Every structure is written in structure tokens, then in C-alpha cells.
Amino acid sequence: MSEVTLFDTHTHLNDPDLYDQAQVLIEQAISAGVRHLVVPGYDMLSSRQAIELSERFSEVYAAVGVHPHDAKTLTASDLHQLDLWCDHEKVVAVGEIGLDYHYDNSPRDVQQDAFLAQIDLAKKKRLPIIIHDREAHADILQILRNTDAVSIGGIMHCFSGSVELMRECLQLNFYISLGGPITFKNAKKPAQVALEVPLDRLLIETDAPWLSPEPFRGKQNHPANVRLVAQKIAELRGMPIEEIGAITTDNALRIFGLQGSLSRGLQNED
Ligand code: NI
């Protein structure tokens, strides 16, 4: 049997429900073919925990940032701490950041200010950004254009938009990351995007513990399930899962700047 290589580009092993099981979940993921994982922060504590996990496990890389839900908590000293964390050797992106107009847990102008400040940070550090966009497509695009985010690029995490929106994101130098929703029976838009996204801009993710793919919809998600996402894309596109795995892994290594730096070997896991 040929080997499948997978990269889960968005998995919250820093979530309180997964954090204590990180070792077991990573072992299960490795058994499923996962070679690398990026754990994004969503507030200051989870950003620090993402870095801790990256130090414990050679397969794990971290992103640091404050989610739009928590934008109202972001202080100047937090931004300074994020700036310091960005210099850590296993921090590969700023995220997840963006706008969430579905929940509006922080006021929209506050979300926009936090998003802008963290885009500035990413530009200063030359890191890509991981974007959370919920019902805020127009403002996200406008901010990405106004800030020249094309110069750093990044990832539209768990992309939920149309093919037309996908094309606008591609023009802005962004990658399209697909997760569990492409396996849902009513998921017409994500399936269409999975078919039409250029293969050199496609990424896969779980967003664990959220968004479990079928047949586990509604259950707690974990990084091994990224294989089900790859399998679904392979079916939709009529390609072997090995090829989808190899292409999306290459893409992830490129966007996170990890090409050529993978011969570190296993780190000590204390
Ligand atoms: Ni997330």
C-alpha cells in the first residue's frame, strides 16, 4: 500500500478539550498519515499553548494571534507579546485572526482594529496570516486589499465562500483551506470549491475539535480526521488520496516557509 502524507494546517490541540490528550491525538494522526500540524492560537493563553505544543512535538508548528471573538481583550502589551512570540523558531504564521459577523462577540470596529493590528504585525515579521471569515467576506477582502496583505499572503481557513469569492482570494495571494464541511451532504458550495480550486493553492485542515467530517459529524474532531477530508477531495476530483496528500503537504510547507527545514529529526518529547 502506498503511503499517504498529510498536513493538518489548522487544528486546535490547544483547545481545553484536546490539550491533555495531545500526545495520543498526535500519535493517532501520525498513524493516519499526518506528518505535520499547525496549531493556531485564538487568544493569548492558547497562543502560548500552541508554542508549548510545538516545543513538545516535532510534528507541531504554531501560529499566534487573537480571534475576532476575543478582539475586545487585545491590549497593547498583548501585541508586544505576540511580536516576541513571532520570533520563535516554530511560529509559522499569525492567526487565527479575522472577522466574525455571525456571533459579533466583539464589536465590529474593535474586530477590525485587532485584525489590522495583527496584519501589521505579520507584515513586520514576514509571516503569512490565517484568516477566520464568518459572514464578513466583503470587509475581509477590503481590508486585505487596503493593507497590501498580498505581500505576505496567507490562508482562508475553513473556506466557506463561493467559487467567485475563492477567485478573489486567489488573486490576493491566499490559499484555500478546506475542512470537514466538504463532507456534509448539503455542502454544495464547498464541494464546488474543492473541484475548482487550483491544486497549487489547496490546503486541508480539521479545525479540531470543531467541524468533524462525516461520518463523525457533530462529534469531537481530532487531527487524524484530516484524512477523511483528503479522501473526499480525492473522490470529488477523481484523484488518488496519495496525490492530494502530497500536493497539499507541499503547499503547506511552502506557505509556512518550511521547505528545506524538515530534517530536524525527532525532538525530545519531555
Ligand atoms: Ni480555528
Side-chain angles (χ1 to χ4, degrees):
M1 199 176 86
S2 55
E3 204 188 338
V4 177
T5 301
L6 302 165
F7 193 135
D8 186 352
T9 62
H10 195 112
T11 190
H12 292 291
L13 292 173
N14 48 356
D15 184 279
D17 284 342
L18 302 184
Y19 189 67
D20 292 336
Q21 318 167 55
Q23 171 125 20
V24 168
L25 295 177
I26 289 169
E27 283 165 9
Q28 288 172 357
I30 290 170
S31 297
V34 177
R35 294 289 167 271
H36 317 280
L37 313 91
V38 166
V39 176
Y42 43 90
D43 57 12
M44 296 306 287
L45 173 62
S46 62
S47 293
R48 182 164 59 73
Q49 288 174 324
I51 294 176
E52 280 171 17
L53 289 162
S54 79
E55 290 172 343
R56 281 172 60 200
F57 302 103
S58 60
E59 298 83 1
V60 173
Y61 294 84
V64 294
V66 174
H67 192 282
H69 288 343
D70 291 293
K72 57 181 180 243
T73 70
L74 182 66
T75 65
S77 85
D78 290 342
L79 277 170
H80 179 64
Q81 181 63 62
L82 290 170
D83 186 309
L84 297 176
W85 280 335
C86 282
D87 294 331
H88 188 284
E89 62 169 356
K90 292 194 83 180
V91 171
V92 294
V94 172
E96 60 182 284
I97 61 176
L99 302 174
D100 192 312
Y101 294 172
H102 179 76
Y103 288 106
D104 281 323
N105 286 355
S106 292
R108 292 184 181 181
D109 60 324
V110 175
Q111 293 188 40
Q112 290 162 11
D113 287 347
F115 189 29
L116 287 166
Q118 294 179 95
I119 291 174
D120 271 352
L121 172 64
K123 287 171 74 176
K124 177 178 158 196
K125 298 294 179 176
R126 309 298 309 162
L127 289 172
I129 52 181
I130 299 172
I131 294 192
H132 173 101
D133 167 13
R134 184 121 188 233
E135 296 171 22
H137 301 328
D139 283 1
I140 292 267
L141 285 177
Q142 192 184 5
I143 286 174
L144 293 180
R145 291 201 179 98
N146 292 348
T147 56
D148 187 32
V150 66
S151 64
I152 44 174
I155 298 170
M156 304 306 293
H157 136 66
C158 201
F159 184 77
S160 61
S162 63
V163 168
E164 291 70 37
L165 179 66
M166 173 194 84
R167 294 211 176 97
E168 298 202 63
C169 295
L170 294 172
Q171 277 178 3
L172 289 167
N173 204 19
F174 276 70
Y175 286 68
I176 304 296
S177 186
L178 298 176
I182 65 159
T183 69
F184 299 169
K185 287 187 178 61
N186 56 353
K188 294 234 160 53
K189 267 198 299 186
Q192 197 61 34
V193 168
L195 263 177
E196 300 209 20
V197 60
L199 283 173
D200 64 354
R201 296 290 193 89
L202 171 64
L203 300 171
I204 54 175
E205 65 170 74
T206 54
D207 202 20
W210 318 106
L211 297 175
S212 262
E214 293 288 5
F216 304 116
R217 187 173 183 180
K219 303 220 170 76
Q220 187 180 79
N221 201 2
H222 53 98
N225 284 342
V226 79
R227 187 174 180 123
L228 297 169
V229 175
Q231 182 62 48
K232 181 66 182 184
I233 296 172
E235 284 166 26
L236 285 167
R237 297 190 72 127
M239 293 168 64
I241 185 176
E242 289 83 358
E243 206 172 325
I244 294 295
I247 289 168
T248 52
T249 295
D250 273 357
N251 293 342
L253 295 174
R254 186 165 62 250
I255 182 69
F256 292 126
L258 293 171
Q259 282 167 323
S261 65
L262 291 173
S263 43
R264 297 168 198 265
L266 282 177
Q267 290 180 201
N268 45 336
E269 295 177 5
D270 51 359

